[in-house]
Amino acid sequence: MYAIIATGGKQYKVAEGDIIRVEKLGVDAGETVTFDQVLAVNDGELSIGCPTVEGATVSATVVKEAKAKKVIVYKYKRKTGYHKKNGHRQLYTQVKIDKINA
């Protein structure tokens, strides 16, 4: 059984027991999160929502909140002496999928 959920402007294919990284949710570790934007559920038969599946939710437990690896942004224009180096670390929340309620 799997489901496709939408959170943080992205879509994720999840099954029970999966550990995924989503955009920062602002929830402490150990707490439970419910994703109600379920786009599709497959439990032997595929159910596709328009835009979401009625009454379907996905329950997950927050494992941790952290920062991803640093991404270097380097801007450079030739012949002018212009260069600019910048770094960015994206915040994320790691969750473990507990149950798919369809």
Side-chain angles (χ1 to χ4, degrees):
M1 176 181 218
Y2 70 88
I4 298 174
I5 62 171
T7 180
K10 298 177 179 73
Q11 297 176 3
Y12 301 92
K13 179 182 173 185
V14 297
E16 292 181 5
D18 285 354
I19 296 176
I20 61 170
R21 288 183 175 183
V22 298
E23 295 293 321
K24 183 180 176 187
L25 298 174
V27 181
D28 294 330
E31 292 189 23
T32 304
V33 178
T34 303
F35 299 106
D36 55 355
Q37 284 191 326
V38 180
L39 305 177
V41 176
N42 187 353
D43 53 352
E45 182 178 323
L46 183 63
S47 301
I48 298 175
C50 183
T52 60
V53 178
E54 288 289 326
T57 59
V58 174
S59 301
T61 304
V62 175
V63 177
K64 67 177 181 177
E65 282 194 344
K67 289 183 178 181
K69 288 188 174 184
K70 183 175 276 193
V71 176
I72 303 298
V73 179
Y74 192 77
K75 297 180 180 179
Y76 174 79
K77 292 194 185 282
R78 63 186 182 152
K79 300 179 183 176
T80 61
Y82 172 79
H83 59 90
K84 189 174 199 175
K85 184 177 180 181
N86 196 1
H88 176 73
R89 291 184 71 187
Q90 185 68 32
L91 300 172
Y92 70 88
T93 302
Q94 191 169 10
V95 297
K96 182 176 191 287
I97 305 300
D98 295 329
K99 183 149 180 66
I100 298 173
N101 306 313

